[in-house]
Amino acid sequence: MELDADTQALAKGGFHCLLCDINVPNQASLEDHLKGRKHQKLRSVRDTRKTQEQHSVFVSGFQRGTTELQLIDHFQRFGPVASVIMDKDQGVYAIVQFNNTESLQVALAEPQHCMAGQRLRVKPRETKEFKYIPKKKQDPSKQQLISLEELTPALCQADTVGEQMQRLVELFELSESERRLRELLVSLLQEIFSEFFPECKVLPFGSSVNSFDIHSCDLDLFLDLENTKTFQAKAKSTAAQAGEGLSEDAQSEDSILSDIDLESATSTEVLELVATVLQKCVPGVHKVQAVPSARRPVVKFIHKDSGLQGDISINNRLAVRNTRFLQLCCSLDERLRPLVYAVRYWAKQKQLAGNPCGGGPLLNNYALTLLVIFFLQNRQPPVLPSVNHLKSLAGEEDRCIIDDWDCTFPCDSSTLPASENTEHLCTLLSEFYNFYGQFDFAGAVISPRHGRALPITDFLNSEGDRNPRLGPLNILDPFELCHNVAGNLNERTEQRLRRQCQEAAKYCRSLQYQRKSTKGKVWGLVRLFHQQGGSAASHGQSGEAGADRMIIGIPFKLSALSGDTRKQLQGSGDFRQLWFSEVCGAMLCVLENVLQISCSPVKRVSEEGTKPNASGEQSSHSSETSFNEIAEQESANLDVPCVKDPLKGGTENETKSQELKGKPCFQEANNNEDVHSKDSPIASLQDEPQSGVKRPRLSEETPQPSSSKKQRLDPAHPQAAVGWQCTLWHKVWAGRRKVRRDLLKGLKEDSRPDGGSIELESKVTEAIAQQEKEAKVSGAVLEFTLHAEVVGGTEDTRTLAKFTPLVDGSNLFQDFFHFLESFLPRMTGKFLEKSG
């Protein structure tokens, strides 16, 4: 029996039906299945839909209120019309099906369709692959999501970007019937739970009520049992005074308070009781499941008739307060809602948010909302006030403390002054992408409470349990200040967010975003949601190659800092220059000690144009930036931290001058004093005289390492940039992987260094150098300059290492740079981890 396109043989035996998505054990079972009712029905449905697609056209551009009969009258001129399917919600598009393909082709060949003075847009219906989804695999929360194809006609009919954003809200927000359903379900739960937990409160929070609702969003509920605990305590006290058991109310048949002490019970025990009440006493509720292991323990359930999914928590009072805060923000300025809806939909289209499986390194809706609020707080003048400013405007009756967090803000928005900002939605959305496309995510913490970005070094104190978990993107909750709502993100997602914001900002500067197309083309938000940019990484993020210069970016990573370095950076005024000093020393250790490259400080660094300094401001110096002459005197009395040489057994004091040779001393951008005072944990980095420890020469042609003179920056022109001239003596990239494997095989298992460690990589370079010596290969392989600078403020804080080849007779620099792209950042990070 030959298999058709709907079936395939399995490697372990048996067959799989692609159409019905089931497995059968043998050929006889497969034949029975193919003849069965289910398979035949699905084949019939698929054939019918394919025929409909081949005979149909997609029509838009007609006036609202156009009827099916009007469309039939228009398209009957080209052939018999089988049916017309209208968009029921908005009436802005229709599917017209002909009886045959000949009529379809005639209609498509018509150069222009006009009806009632409107020019119609007619195109072939989009072909979609038929896929059967069993009912048990259908997610009711995903069935009503609106696709971009469905959004396009409605948005393109708007006249401005602001109107498009308002229509986006109208299309996604809950309908009155959906709101009413939620209200009735909350009332039902309140009534039933009050029978078992007297004086309790069922409070909705989250997307259903925070003004950012969407179709089929979950119903989040907080079961407030504080009054119930008071009721139970009073009942026990009264019973004790009377010398009897609990009161009649507490001992009623429906009460469960006699079985549990709410004050001393664990959250798991209470959740189990809540789950029992839901499962046995609430009509229309099924699939009840207690999840006590979640960050906020909940009981999940589904309302059978509507498919509405819900969560009930018992210790999430902060979330209720957050919901009130978002409601207040929306009432303060009506521009917030459409901005949030647009940014959320954009983020999901760009796969930055909306993981269907939950969790993962993607932004959640709450994080996106806080990003918009923080952006509006930083407009000039501000659109929204900071939480601290709101607190200053609150009265005594507004005071609110939850779990020792100050959650005070005014409850009545009518008492607050209106914003003086009058920017249109079109401008605000464009500036949102521009704002975060230039934001220093690596070096700053987003704080809606303060309304400004806080230096990340303010949070490096690891003591206590009220510090947020820092990561590539840090957004503090406005009230629970130890909660980073974007703590689940990884570096790749943060980089994609920045890149997508930069591409969106570039598009928003075009007329395709700002003006409606007169030719019926997609424009505004539709092109923004569709728009796809290049895949190139941002400047210096990975290797950036030019005609004669290449750049490697070494990002600022908290995880790559030692404990001592964290303490040194904590609370520092300009942490970038302090960190840059450490990075430069680590890079030199990698080049000189691991790769055996000779490095000498250069006197001048030539840069084209202006570069942003550490604070993100543009420097106005000339393209030729002068450095001071290399200092003639050595300073041997400074306590310079360093990394121990893994190839030698010497102490840190014996090897530090060799390892940190050429490491720069930085000066403040606003004065002529050194950033690092003599008493600072990170002192001004200078070289000390050699203390008897020399690096062995590998060949007669290899010169001594660079001189021990230290490079200084010009006090009149402080720059966070230094440079070296480097000579590479060995092809350290050639066959490195094989040499590493051979070295590991030759070592005993208990004495093998960790893979990719500093010690191992140094030995690999030694082995490569020895091989070249035995092959009588000598002389310099190539020469190049290395210029390093620190950037941040208007971009992620990182060190840019710029390589420029000087002597490359064998055209090997490209191969060498490709090797350094991954090797240099990785090994620099390992040195930083070991420093201090």
Side-chain angles (χ1 to χ4, degrees):
M1 175 183 176
E2 294 186 3
L3 300 179
D4 59 18
D6 291 333
T7 57
Q8 65 179 15
L10 300 177
K12 297 182 178 181
F15 302 90
H16 179 71
C17 177
L18 299 174
L19 180 61
C20 305
D21 192 24
I22 64 170
N23 295 333
V24 292
N26 49 51
Q27 188 166 336
S29 299
L30 177 63
E31 292 177 358
D32 291 340
H33 169 73
L34 296 178
K35 296 176 183 178
R37 180 182 301 176
K38 178 180 178 179
H39 186 82
Q40 293 297 323
K41 179 64 178 295
L42 288 178
R43 285 192 61 179
S44 175
V45 172
R46 182 179 62 181
D47 294 342
T48 301
R49 292 187 182 179
K50 185 176 181 181
T51 302
Q52 290 173 343
E53 291 174 349
Q54 293 174 344
H55 290 181
S56 301
V57 293
F58 181 87
V59 183
S60 60
F62 47 81
Q63 293 181 347
R64 285 182 179 272
T66 300
T67 64
E68 297 179 12
L69 290 177
Q70 289 175 304
L71 289 174
I72 292 175
D73 290 341
H74 173 79
F75 284 98
Q76 274 183 343
R77 297 186 293 126
F78 310 104
V81 176
S83 64
V84 174
I85 302 174
M86 299 287 294
D87 169 25
K88 296 181 180 179
D89 294 331
Q90 299 294 325
V92 295
Y93 73 87
I95 303 294
V96 178
Q97 180 184 344
F98 293 94
N99 284 341
N100 51 65
T101 55
E102 290 78 9
S103 302
L104 174 76
Q105 296 301 327
V106 174
L108 292 175
E110 180 73 12
Q112 184 171 325
H113 290 263
C114 291
M115 187 177 69
Q118 295 287 324
R119 183 177 177 180
L120 305 183
R121 290 182 289 277
V122 181
K123 62 180 182 179
R125 184 179 178 181
E126 181 181 351
T127 301
K128 296 183 180 180
E129 180 183 359
F130 178 81
K131 187 174 182 180
Y132 169 65
I133 303 178
K135 288 185 178 180
K136 64 180 180 180
K137 293 186 179 181
Q138 293 177 358
D139 187 348
S141 66
K142 309 302 178 187
Q143 293 176 10
Q144 299 184 30
L145 292 181
I146 305 174
S147 68
L148 184 55
E149 180 185 4
E150 296 172 316
L151 281 178
T152 298
L155 298 183
C156 285
Q157 284 193 345
D159 294 325
T160 64
V161 172
E163 187 178 338
Q164 284 186 331
M165 296 169 71
Q166 295 290 356
R167 289 195 179 184
L168 194 68
V169 175
E170 295 170 3
L171 290 169
F172 277 98
E173 67 180 350
L174 292 174
S175 64
E176 285 302 319
S177 60
E178 290 176 304
R179 296 182 194 277
R180 183 59 180 160
L181 172 65
R182 283 166 166 74
E183 292 172 1
L184 291 174
L185 184 55
V186 172
S187 299
L188 175 63
L189 293 173
Q190 176 69 68
E191 181 179 350
I192 293 177
F193 276 110
S194 295
E195 292 292 329
F196 296 93
F197 301 99
E199 300 184 19
C200 72
K201 294 181 182 179
V202 178
L203 304 174
F205 67 92
S207 54
S208 289
V209 291
N210 65 6
S211 304
F212 303 109
D213 47 275
I214 60 173
H215 297 301
S216 299
C217 58
D218 291 351
L219 178 61
D220 298 313
L221 301 172
F222 169 59
L223 180 59
D224 188 355
L225 297 176
E226 287 302 313
N227 292 340
T228 308
K229 292 178 182 179
T230 303
F231 170 84
Q232 187 181 47
K234 288 182 178 179
K236 287 185 177 181
S237 176
T238 303
Q241 292 176 1
E244 300 175 356
L246 292 180
S247 64
E248 184 178 348
D249 289 340
Q251 283 188 333
S252 65
E253 182 179 351
D254 293 333
S255 177
I256 56 176
L257 295 185
S258 58
D259 299 328
I260 187 173
D261 183 1
L262 294 177
E263 198 65 47
S264 60
T266 64
S267 59
T268 301
E269 293 173 339
V270 178
L271 282 176
E272 292 295 339
L273 284 178
V274 172
T276 301
V277 173
L278 272 175
Q279 195 164 18
K280 295 184 177 181
C281 303
V282 181
V285 169
H286 70 146
K287 295 187 177 179
V288 177
Q289 179 186 10
V291 187
S293 59
R295 179 178 178 270
R296 296 290 186 185
V298 297
V299 176
K300 293 181 173 293
F301 67 91
I302 296 179
H303 187 247
K304 183 179 293 186
D305 293 338
S306 63
L308 179 62
Q309 298 182 11
D311 298 334
I312 297 181
S313 58
I314 58 173
N315 55 356
N316 206 6
R317 196 178 302 274
L318 274 170
V320 178
R321 193 62 177 171
N322 276 327
T323 297
R324 303 290 183 268
F325 169 68
L326 296 181
Q327 292 172 342
L328 175 68
C329 290
C330 287
S331 61
L332 285 175
D333 199 290
E334 61 182 9
R335 291 170 290 181
L336 175 59
R337 285 193 80 208
L339 275 172
V340 169
Y341 277 85
V343 169
R344 284 185 179 184
Y345 192 81
W346 167 82
K348 290 181 180 178
Q349 290 296 113
K350 303 304 176 183
Q351 298 180 346
L352 298 169
N355 189 341
C357 300
L362 296 178
L363 288 162
N364 56 55
N365 284 335
Y366 184 46
L368 288 169
T369 304
L370 291 182
L371 284 177
V372 177
I373 290 175
F374 181 77
F375 158 72
L376 295 178
Q377 291 172 339
N378 283 269
R379 298 304 295 159
Q380 293 299 328
V383 178
L384 293 174
S386 67
V387 176
N388 280 341
H389 183 63
L390 288 173
K391 176 186 173 183
S392 67
L393 300 176
E396 187 62 31
E397 68 279 2
D398 298 317
R399 180 173 172 79
C400 178
I401 304 295
I402 300 176
D403 297 339
D404 296 331
W405 296 111
D406 192 343
C407 305
T408 302
F409 57 81
C411 297
D412 185 3
S413 61
S414 63
T415 62
L416 302 176
S419 171
E420 298 179 359
N421 187 295
T422 59
E423 291 176 293
H424 295 294
L425 284 171
C426 177
T427 302
L428 288 174
L429 183 61
S430 174
E431 290 301 320
F432 171 86
Y433 295 120
N434 190 57
F435 180 79
Y436 287 111
Q438 299 178 356
F439 195 84
D440 184 6
F441 291 116
V445 175
I446 294 171
S447 176
R449 182 170 193 88
H450 299 84
R452 58 183 174 85
L454 304 177
I456 199 168
T457 48
D458 290 354
F459 300 85
L460 294 183
N461 182 13
S462 59
E463 298 179 1
D465 58 352
R466 291 215 158 189
N467 287 319
R469 184 184 70 173
L470 299 177
L473 176 59
N474 303 291
I475 308 173
L476 288 187
D477 185 277
F479 307 108
E480 191 180 9
L481 300 180
C482 65
H483 181 206
N484 176 15
V485 300
N488 61 311
L489 263 64
N490 56 25
E491 293 177 22
R492 178 174 297 181
T493 304
E494 181 268 325
Q495 292 172 9
R496 285 179 50 237
L497 172 63
R498 170 183 299 281
R499 187 165 62 250
Q500 292 291 352
C501 284
Q502 291 170 345
E503 293 174 358
K506 181 178 179 181
Y507 164 70
C508 289
R509 292 191 290 269
S510 68
L511 292 178
Q512 293 174 329
Y513 166 73
Q514 301 170 10
R515 297 183 183 178
K516 182 177 181 178
S517 172
T518 59
K519 299 181 179 180
K521 296 182 179 180
V522 294
W523 66 285
L525 292 185
V526 179
R527 289 187 68 91
L528 175 67
F529 298 153
H530 269 300
Q531 166 249 346
Q532 295 290 338
S535 59
S538 58
H539 176 74
Q541 198 65 27
S542 57
E544 180 185 307
D548 58 351
R549 186 179 67 183
M550 302 181 183
I551 300 174
I552 295 176
I554 300 178
F556 177 81
K557 293 183 181 179
L558 289 175
S559 59
L561 300 179
S562 65
D564 289 344
T565 303
R566 283 171 174 254
K567 291 179 181 178
Q568 294 158 2
L569 295 180
Q570 182 182 347
S572 60
D574 190 355
F575 74 94
R576 295 184 183 90
Q577 296 226 14
L578 296 173
W579 171 74
F580 180 55
S581 173
E582 295 291 315
V583 171
C584 287
M587 280 198 303
L588 283 178
C589 287
V590 175
L591 296 177
E592 292 190 324
N593 294 348
V594 179
L595 298 180
Q596 300 183 1
I597 297 175
S598 301
C599 301
S600 302
V602 297
K603 297 182 181 180
R604 299 176 70 85
V605 178
S606 176
E607 291 296 330
E608 298 178 2
T610 60
K611 293 288 183 182
N613 58 25
S615 62
E617 300 174 352
Q618 295 294 329
S619 300
S620 57
H621 306 299
S622 62
S623 59
E624 289 289 321
T625 303
S626 298
F627 290 119
N628 270 354
E629 294 294 331
I630 300 175
E632 296 296 336
Q633 298 181 350
E634 305 295 339
S635 299
N637 60 341
L638 294 180
D639 184 16
V640 183
C642 67
V643 183
K644 185 175 180 180
D645 190 336
L647 299 179
K648 300 177 176 64
T651 65
E652 294 184 2
N653 289 333
E654 292 173 332
T655 59
K656 63 186 175 184
S657 61
Q658 178 181 346
E659 292 174 346
L660 299 178
K661 190 180 290 92
K663 194 170 181 180
C665 171
F666 299 101
Q667 295 167 335
E668 288 281 4
N670 298 324
N671 55 52
N672 295 333
E673 298 180 359
D674 285 346
V675 168
H676 312 297
S677 65
K678 187 178 355 180
D679 297 329
S680 172
I682 303 182
S684 300
L685 297 173
Q686 297 181 352
D687 291 325
E688 298 178 337
Q690 299 287 346
S691 45
V693 180
K694 291 186 177 181
R695 181 174 172 174
R697 296 173 63 179
L698 300 178
S699 65
E700 292 298 322
E701 291 79 14
T702 305
Q704 289 282 2
S706 55
S707 67
S708 58
K709 297 177 181 179
K710 186 192 68 157
Q711 179 176 325
R712 291 182 183 270
L713 299 182
D714 187 353
H717 301 287
Q719 291 272 325
V722 289
W724 298 270
Q725 183 168 333
C726 307
T727 303
L728 176 66
W729 300 97
H730 311 289
K731 296 181 182 179
V732 291
W733 68 91
R736 192 174 187 89
R737 190 172 299 174
K738 181 179 183 302
V739 173
R740 187 187 298 113
R741 286 199 303 265
D742 293 342
L743 280 176
L744 291 175
K745 289 180 182 178
L747 298 175
K748 295 181 180 180
E749 187 171 351
D750 57 351
S751 62
R752 290 180 181 177
D754 295 334
S757 65
I758 298 173
E759 179 183 2
L760 177 61
E761 295 301 330
S762 300
K763 290 182 178 179
V764 171
T765 302
E766 290 282 1
I768 293 175
Q770 185 62 32
Q771 291 177 0
E772 293 185 358
K773 183 177 181 180
E774 294 173 356
K776 298 183 179 180
V777 177
S778 60
V781 175
L782 55 87
E783 296 182 11
F784 59 92
T785 59
L786 166 59
H787 294 155
E789 67 173 339
V790 62
V791 297
T794 59
E795 54 186 312
D796 271 345
T797 297
R798 64 188 185 278
T799 295
L800 299 182
K802 307 179 181 182
F803 294 81
T804 306
L806 299 177
V807 179
D808 184 19
S810 303
N811 295 322
L812 298 174
F813 190 76
Q814 286 279 357
D815 295 337
F816 173 61
F817 178 79
H818 180 68
F819 158 72
L820 283 182
E821 277 187 286
S822 60
F823 186 84
L824 182 61
R826 185 175 71 252
M827 298 308 298
T828 300
K830 290 185 178 295
F831 269 102
L832 290 174
E833 291 174 4
K834 297 184 66 174
S835 65

